Every structure is written in C-alpha cells, then in structure tokens.
Amino acid sequence: QVQLVESGGGLVQAGGSLRLSCAASGLIVSINTMGWYRQAPGKQRELVATVSSDGSTNYADSVKGRFTVSRDNTKKTVYLQMDSLKPEDTAVYYCNADVRTFYTRNRDYWGQGTQVTVSS
C-alpha cells in the first residue's frame, strides 16, 4: 500500500558529501514523522535523523552538525544532506515513515535501503 523509494547513496571520500532522498507513494492520507536510520555490518540499526510533520528535527549525536534532515510535504519526500562524511558513516541507510493510509492507521514503513560507503 505504501512504498518508500530511496536514492542518492554511493561511494565518497572522507570529507565529502552525499544527499539521500526518499519518496513515499501509495494511498497515503498523512505522514507523521519521516527519517533515516542506518545499519553498519555487524551492528544494530540506529537512528540517524528524523523530521516531524511540523518540521522539528532530531539527530543522533554522532551526526549533529554534519547531517541535515528535511522534507517536502507536497512531494512526500524526505532528504538527508550528509556533509563532512567519515569512514564510520559507512552503512546501509534506510528511510522510515510513519504513515496513515485510507485503509490503515498510522504505522511504520521502511525503504529498501541504500548503501553509503566513505573511503579514508
């Protein structure tokens, strides 16, 4: 019923930048919080950044000052601008959205993940 399609991952050198995008589609009535999580090999999935429907944001301490999360409600899209990337940012990044559809109450949906690799 809801699809989250991510784009923008890739390989970048340390200190470089990448911008991730995630577009939601389907029979959507409203989207509450949207955000990004990441999972590095051998580690648990962790929160990177979220943005609520009113624009308030939340960041993991490890990315504060380097990453910026934003959203375009008309496009049902969330973005993650990643600057000053470090090798430890290497992970699969997953988009997440709390969505209400015509048929369901609010529930979490996940994207398929996009690989971000930062070389030293």
Side-chain angles (χ1 to χ4, degrees):
Q1 293 179 339
V2 174
Q3 296 80 39
L4 299 180
V5 179
E6 300 142 343
S7 61
L11 173 65
V12 65
Q13 288 188 332
S17 298
L18 283 174
R19 188 187 192 216
L20 305 182
S21 299
C22 172
S25 63
L27 300 175
I28 296 171
V29 172
S30 62
I31 304 176
N32 190 5
T33 301
M34 303 183 80
W36 296 91
Y37 291 71
R38 67 187 182 187
Q39 187 167 18
K43 294 187 177 181
Q44 290 188 333
R45 190 173 298 188
E46 63 177 5
L47 179 146
V48 176
T50 61
V51 54
S52 64
S53 56
D54 66 1
S56 58
T57 57
N58 179 47
Y59 293 93
D61 288 342
S62 59
V63 307
K64 282 181 181 177
R66 300 188 298 121
F67 291 10
T68 303
V69 64
S70 61
R71 63 191 282 173
D72 183 332
N73 291 326
T74 61
K75 295 181 179 180
K76 299 184 180 64
T77 299
V78 61
Y79 305 96
L80 185 67
Q81 177 66 40
M82 303 185 292
D83 299 318
S84 302
L85 282 160
K86 303 176 181 180
E88 51 263 44
D89 294 318
T90 296
V92 177
Y93 283 69
Y94 295 92
C95 173
N96 172 269
D98 178 16
V99 179
R100 179 183 176 189
T101 74
F102 284 101
Y103 302 104
T104 65
R105 294 182 179 182
N106 284 73
R107 56 154 285 190
D108 273 347
Y109 290 87
W110 292 90
Q112 79 283 1
T114 184
Q115 178 70 46
V116 171
T117 303
V118 184
S119 63
S120 57

